[in-house]
Amino acid sequence: MKEIRDETGVGHLLIFGEPTDGCLVRIHSRCLYGDTLGSDDCDCGPEFQLALDMIQDEGGQGVVIYLEQEGRGLGLEVKARGLHVGERTGADTFDAYRLLGHPEDSRTYEHAAVALAKLGLRSVRLMTNNPDKVQAVENAGLRVRAISLHTTPRSVRAARYMAAKAKRRSAYSQLPARDR
């Protein structure tokens, strides 16, 4: 594991096997609730586990970049307050962040994309439902084939979260058709 850090953020580069062009890559923002505590409120944990399983199924060749961008880049405290606002008002997490005076999403992916380029990769299969990640990796000069991660919501709240995410980022629905 190698730490990556620049003015846009901090993360950890985990290299499995000896990745080559076209390998599977996951850029994942930390979610304490979903990744570690097994929360049923989001799809973070299931997406992360699916990505790890897919790398394992490929013979253990791939890259995971685990970013310290909890709460869409605003931190665990803002995330907890946003969840509380959502519970009280029925607002989705995007609206809850705005009600608290924060942007919907403050994450950046440039440092992750640069780390991939420094590995000497020219193309990747990026496991993501987020077009911002695709754009960042392409901007770093890599060819990207986006692999959409489909998970089953583990609760009604997770289903609402996933629906809100898809609604806010209509480009999410375009990812399966993308092949760059």
Side-chain angles (χ1 to χ4, degrees):
M1 180 166 49
K2 176 184 175 189
E3 183 176 87
I4 58 172
R5 176 186 297 266
D6 72 5
E7 63 279 354
T8 64
V10 177
H12 304 280
L13 181 67
L14 295 94
I15 300 171
F16 299 92
E18 295 182 27
T20 59
D21 283 335
C23 69
L24 287 172
V25 170
R26 172 70 178 165
I27 298 173
H28 188 84
S29 296
R30 181 184 70 191
C31 175
L32 177 66
Y33 294 138
D35 298 345
T36 305
L37 301 176
S39 172
D40 288 343
D41 292 342
C42 62
D43 59 344
C44 303
E47 279 188 359
F48 187 59
Q49 189 59 56
L50 177 58
L52 292 174
D53 290 347
M54 290 171 69
I55 289 172
Q56 186 63 35
D57 291 345
E58 289 261 324
Q61 306 285 346
V63 178
V64 171
I65 300 178
Y66 197 78
L67 300 176
E68 301 296 327
Q69 297 189 137
E70 183 84 43
R72 292 195 204 109
L74 295 169
L76 190 55
E77 183 178 336
V78 170
K79 180 178 184 171
R81 284 194 276 147
L83 289 170
H84 181 68
V85 166
E87 286 177 12
R88 279 194 352 245
T89 67
D92 65 39
T93 57
F94 296 94
D95 288 337
Y97 275 34
R98 278 201 313 269
L99 288 170
L100 290 168
H102 298 291
E104 291 179 358
D105 196 336
S106 296
R107 295 175 294 177
T108 60
Y109 306 104
E110 289 75 21
H111 57 308
V114 168
L116 288 172
K118 286 182 178 179
L119 290 176
L121 298 173
R122 294 175 300 191
S123 65
V124 297
R125 289 178 293 147
L126 186 63
M127 299 176 283
T128 188
N129 297 328
N130 188 332
D132 295 340
K133 294 177 185 179
V134 172
Q135 190 64 57
V137 175
E138 287 177 338
N139 288 347
L142 283 80
R143 287 185 318 278
V144 176
R145 178 174 171 223
I147 309 275
S148 187
L149 295 176
H150 299 285
T151 60
T152 303
R154 298 188 294 186
S155 69
V156 171
R157 286 173 63 141
R160 282 196 308 260
Y161 170 80
M162 292 164 73
K165 196 164 70 166
K167 176 183 166 191
R168 291 285 196 261
R169 295 189 176 141
S170 60
Y172 274 59
S173 62
Q174 298 170 6
L175 280 174
R178 280 181 139 149
D179 189 1
R180 301 172 187 214

